[in-house]
Amino acid sequence: MNLLHSINDFNEAKQVIVGGVNSPVRAFGSVGGVPRFIQNAKGAYIYDVDGNAYIDYVQSWGPLIFGHCDSDIESSVLRSVKNGLSFGAPTELETTLAKEIIGTYDGIQKVRLVNSGTEATMSAIRVARAYSGKDDLIKFDGCYHGHSDSLLVSAGSGCATFGAPSSPGVPKDLSKHTLVARYNDIDSVRACFEESKAKGSGVGCVIIEPIAGNMGLVPADKEFLHQLRELCDIYGAVLIFDEVMSGFRASLRGSLAYCDVLPDMATFGKVIGGGMPLAAFGGRDEIMDLLSPVGSVYQAGTLSGNPIAVSAGLTSLLKLKSNPDIFEALSQKAKTLTQGLQDVAKSVGIPLQICHRGSMFGFFFNDKAVRNFDDARESDTTMFAKFHQKMLEKGVYFACSQFETGFICTSMGDKEISDTLDRAKESFEEIANDL
């Protein structure tokens, strides 16, 4: 596979961009090899600057549920561009998008649009603390909620890939208010509540990915989420579901279709932007009305509710709501892919754990099922790197870290799934022969 242009582009980028990339995992640090510089994409495929084609299971890390360059989303963006790129003033489209989110996700009565998942989670925590009147925050080991200071404690995703569960530069005075519990372990959550109570501060909110996508794909147990809801009610803490990745992805109702547990607040991103920078956070009226200009909790953003991004996201949501059967079809494709991967790995004696929720999927080179970040860290990341490199060489683009999630899009058909499994079989056989 010719990679001359990608190699040259990467070397040039490193002269002016830190590490040559604008998001750490893109540097391929945990899988080795050269990051592909992408020139264009269509449907299920991306094409690099050297003309190589790849079946794309990253899909811009989740937003592109309809694949690259969907004609409806593309048309809505082009129409919106002709009206202006940004106004710094309200538009009717913002209200329409807000109504679509509220009308789909139970328990959310008001939302605010922002530009990124980091902004959404950071802002949700701020207003949740104001509502509860308590400072401490409980998060879960391996869950990633963006790169704001209080949340870069035992984070997953890129932090896990680079072996830095807590980032330098985060003041101890901030991190001391963040307590870290073990995913799918209610006793560890209870211990955090008791620790906070003992030191006199109290837990103001709990944030969790109900379908964790940043330690690999690891769903929370239904009973665990019910117990978490009960603990938050007992201790007066605001429960925040981070659905930036899973919202309108795992199902039309995000994680709610799998657990029927209602949070007090939720954050959204990715799919609601249709590939453009857009996110949101929302909750019950009495919580959200603490935000300025109604209340005194300050949050703002120059480009929040950008009309181009809102147009893309609104088109994406309307397409999903007009054809809810999409989710079952995507789920079936993810099941076929993951089960197929497990079968071909097993045929050559390589242990592989698999999981999928709707169109989200993950796999671990591990002898046992993965239920938390400790389990995920026991996976064979060296094997993952070998497999990733083999598949990339054969034209299949998986997430470039063991601790990330893959995505199916509607543009993927039987051929793409079949081709992927054929190439996976070849890759596993080559790896097994080298062992």
Side-chain angles (χ1 to χ4, degrees), residues 109-332:
Q109 294 175 309
K110 284 192 177 76
V111 300
R112 177 159 286 180
L113 303 183
V114 292
N115 298 294
S116 70
T118 292
E119 283 186 61
T121 56
M122 177 181 68
S123 303
I125 288 168
R126 181 180 300 160
V127 72
R129 281 171 160 156
Y131 179 78
S132 64
K134 291 174 283 189
D135 291 336
D136 284 355
L137 157 74
I138 295 176
K139 72 175 294 290
F140 292 85
D141 192 15
C143 283
Y144 177 74
H145 307 287
H147 60 267
S148 59
D149 283 354
S150 296
L151 294 169
L152 280 183
V153 179
S154 295
S157 193
C159 290
T161 296
F162 288 93
S166 297
S167 173
V170 176
K172 291 181 179 179
D173 285 344
L174 285 176
S175 61
K176 72 181 182 181
H177 289 294
T178 302
L179 293 84
V180 181
R182 195 167 186 248
Y183 200 75
N184 277 325
D185 182 350
I186 200 63
D187 289 337
S188 74
V189 183
R190 192 176 289 109
C192 286
F193 273 110
E194 288 301 312
E195 178 186 339
S196 178
K197 181 180 178 182
K199 71 179 185 180
S201 50
V203 173
C205 60
V206 177
I207 187 167
I208 186 171
E209 291 179 274
I211 301 174
N214 291 288
M215 59 176 101
L217 186 69
V218 184
D221 296 337
K222 183 175 180 179
E223 181 60 25
F224 170 74
L225 290 176
H226 278 277
Q227 293 172 327
L228 185 61
R229 173 73 274 177
E230 291 173 2
L231 279 179
C232 287
D233 292 340
I234 291 169
Y235 286 92
V238 175
L239 178 59
I240 304 170
F241 275 6
D242 181 348
E243 301 246 32
V244 167
M245 189 177 293
S246 55
F248 304 95
R249 238 309 172 180
S251 80
L252 186 61
R253 298 169 59 235
S255 70
L256 302 187
Y258 298 92
C259 68
D260 289 327
V261 175
L262 291 184
D264 300 302
M265 300 185 72
T267 62
F268 307 97
K270 299 189 185 291
V271 171
I272 70 163
M276 298 288 288
L278 181 68
F281 65 102
R284 300 196 310 272
D285 284 336
E286 64 266 29
I287 298 175
M288 294 299 291
D289 283 345
L290 292 176
L291 281 168
S292 179
V294 178
S296 57
V297 177
Y298 195 72
Q299 181 278 327
T302 298
L303 296 177
S304 294
N306 175 270
I308 314 304
V310 170
S311 295
L314 182 58
T315 301
S316 182
L317 290 197
L318 291 175
K319 286 188 69 165
L320 291 172
K321 294 181 82 169
S322 67
N323 187 5
D325 292 340
I326 284 173
F327 290 95
E328 179 56 37
L330 289 170
S331 181
Q332 187 56 53

Side-chain angles (χ1 to χ4, degrees), residues 59-129:
Q59 293 294 319
S60 193
W61 304 98
L64 307 180
I65 197 166
F66 295 105
H68 295 278
C69 294
D70 175 75
S71 59
D72 296 320
I73 295 174
E74 190 177 74
S75 295
S76 70
V77 166
L78 292 175
R79 286 195 302 271
S80 187
V81 164
K82 292 179 180 179
N83 293 326
L85 297 180
S86 181
F87 309 123
T91 65
E92 292 178 349
L93 281 177
E94 295 170 71
T95 303
T96 305
L97 178 60
K99 286 180 177 179
E100 292 298 333
I101 295 171
I102 291 167
T104 306
Y105 197 91
D106 298 342
I108 301 299
Q109 294 175 309
K110 284 192 177 76
V111 300
R112 177 159 286 180
L113 303 183
V114 292
N115 298 294
S116 70
T118 292
E119 283 186 61
T121 56
M122 177 181 68
S123 303
I125 288 168
R126 181 180 300 160
V127 72
R129 281 171 160 156

